Amino acid sequence: MIIELKSTITAENAENLAIESKAFHIKYNDKRYLIAGSGVKEVPANLIDFAHNHWVFSNDLQLASSKFLPTKREVKIGNVTIGGDTKNTVIIGGPCSVESEEQIVTSAKFIKSLGLNLLRGGCYKPRTSPYSFQGLGLDGLKLLAKMRDDYGLTVITEARDATHIQEIIEYSDVIQVGAKAMYDQGILRACAKTQKPVLIKRGFGTTLQEFVQAAEFVLAGGNPNVILCERGIRTFETGTRFTLDLCGVSWLKEHTNLPIILDPSHAMGYAYGVADLARACVAMGIDGLLIEAHPDPSVAKSDASQQLNHDQFETLISSLKPVASSVGYNII
Ligand code: PEP
Ligand code: MN
């Protein structure tokens, strides 16, 4: 249940009421606080005098639920805003991994030249094999921060585990929680303590409910700036790397209030399918698209088979614009 407290309730009162009720207290807007707890169907007696409004849920999809907030949350990412009434589809482009200064400078200049705003690049890579390239770590984060300073781009990079989450929060404008890290409570709890936007990728073996519950950890802990990212789930099909769950995206649009970004690159696993999938995603009316692009994918140190080269990426972005406008969205 979520209880919206009366506007006369101060932060301290809200905290005490939450402790008494073994629940979370969350700043809702400038004036009001919420108490969110589980399994309660009626406003508890000790809270009746303080409650202004309340919502009852049949499961723990609460703060992220469209029952609680029927309009989509707005999230500011650097200079751009997604969600709310914006009808913006933001493009996140760049390589799978930051590999060298030359590679990320070429990528940053390219993203900038297309008039786009968001540059991605992994520095702590959650690889399936310990023998593969693991990322440049802190050196990579510093390179990304330099791209922000030199080219005015907003940068996004992923947290692999909780050991370096504070570094990611310090250097990155958007914190990406990878599909394999989606269950990492250390990451989720640290993300709750910042106000930076957090992009949570769906674990490839998780249900939609489990996915959104990961987002609830961040929301309940005090960070309202959460974005969901569908990046493909594992099915019986082996011809493609994963299966992009577009039905799931419709479910998320209906049942949650969070902006949704789609990642066709990791779902497909092969560059040849990425453009078709990206257009299908944009046609659904979505808040963003994450596409991997590398100056020379043949030498990429991770996800080489799925990254687009810069010509392919540029052609794709031009082809997305009419698709987005046909459903009332703008590519930014
Ligand atoms: C990535 O974005 O490069 C990545 C590793 O993605 P995912 O966590 O979805 O596998
Ligand atoms: Mn990748």
Side-chain angles (χ1 to χ4, degrees):
M1 175 186 276
I2 295 176
I3 299 165
E4 181 183 350
L5 300 173
K6 290 179 176 165
S7 59
T8 47
I9 306 296
T10 64
E12 200 186 338
N13 296 153
E15 186 177 350
N16 289 335
L17 290 171
I19 292 168
E20 228 175 78
S21 318
K22 296 190 173 46
F24 285 90
H25 77 286
I26 302 134
K27 193 155 196 253
Y28 183 33
N29 54 31
D30 288 346
K31 287 196 223 101
R32 290 179 195 272
Y33 285 83
L34 303 172
I35 301 276
S38 188
V40 190
K41 302 281 174 239
E42 280 173 17
V43 178
N46 65 323
L47 294 179
I48 285 178
D49 289 345
F50 308 107
H52 169 73
N53 199 355
H54 70 277
W55 296 262
V56 177
F57 303 92
S58 55
N59 56 36
D60 277 347
L61 205 166
Q62 303 201 81
L63 292 161
S65 160
S66 52
K67 266 197 220 156
F68 167 57
L69 211 62
T71 52
K72 199 184 284 181
R73 288 171 188 259
E74 209 174 80
V75 177
K76 194 166 179 326
I77 310 176
N79 300 327
V80 300
T81 303
I82 59 169
D85 297 325
T86 65
K87 300 262 178 184
N88 284 332
T89 301
V90 72
I91 305 293
I92 303 173
C96 179
S97 300
V98 177
E99 298 171 1
S100 67
E101 179 153 11
E102 190 193 350
Q103 176 243 22
I104 202 67
V105 167
T106 309
S107 302
K109 283 184 178 161
F110 172 65
I111 293 295
K112 188 80 190 166
S113 75
L114 298 184
L116 300 176
N117 300 284
L118 264 79
L119 175 69
R120 62 151 285 143
C123 302
Y124 289 95
K125 297 303 297 179
R127 304 307 298 276
T128 308
S129 164
Y131 308 113
S132 312
F133 175 65
Q134 303 294 307
L136 296 182
L138 182 58
D139 292 341
L141 291 179
K142 288 181 178 166
L143 285 173
L144 273 183
K146 189 166 182 327
M147 298 308 101
R148 173 181 48 227
D149 297 344
D150 291 356
Y151 300 100
L153 291 165
T154 298
V155 298
I156 167 165
T157 193
E158 72 201 89
R160 183 182 59 212
D161 58 62
T163 59
H164 52 262
I165 182 66
Q166 294 309 331
E167 273 174 35
I168 307 269
I169 292 172
E170 184 182 341
Y171 284 93
S172 191
D173 300 312
V174 183
I175 300 135
Q176 178 175 320
V177 180
K180 290 174 188 151
M182 190 206 91
Y183 278 122
D184 188 318
Q185 299 267 318
I187 292 180
L188 296 175
R189 288 171 195 272
C191 286
K193 294 204 173 79
T194 169
Q195 293 295 294
K196 283 196 173 174
V198 181
L199 180 135
I200 306 180
K201 287 189 148 198
R202 180 181 181 185
F204 46 74
T206 62
T207 63
L208 294 161
Q209 172 80 26
E210 289 162 340
F211 179 29
V212 183
Q213 278 182 206
E216 291 277 344
F217 270 96
V218 181
L219 296 167
N223 184 353
N225 301 308
V226 179
I227 303 159
L228 300 174
C229 178
E230 163 60 33
R231 47 77 74 207
I233 53 173
R234 181 145 280 159
T235 65
F236 52 81
E237 183 51 64
T238 56
T240 58
R241 192 176 181 195
F242 293 99
T243 297
L244 191 62
D245 184 10
L246 298 186
C247 295
V249 172
S250 284
W251 189 94
L252 294 169
K253 285 172 77 168
E254 176 70 15
H255 295 285
T256 80
N257 55 42
L258 300 174
I260 303 164
I261 288 185
L262 271 66
D263 170 359
S265 296
H266 289 86
M268 185 68 206
Y270 300 99
Y272 72 82
V274 170
D276 281 349
L277 266 182
R279 285 185 286 270
C281 293
V282 169
M284 292 186 77
I286 54 166
D287 305 292
L289 204 55
L290 185 162
I291 307 279
E292 285 189 342
H294 191 286
D296 181 359
S298 70
V299 299
K301 292 185 175 170
S302 59
D303 287 349
S305 58
Q306 73 198 28
Q307 301 200 58
L308 302 186
N309 66 35
H310 286 181
D311 286 346
Q312 291 168 327
F313 186 91
E314 186 168 0
T315 307
L316 167 60
I317 300 303
S318 319
S319 79
L320 291 176
K321 289 178 182 167
V323 180
S325 71
S326 74
V327 290
Y329 277 73
N330 317 297
I331 297 290
I332 57 166

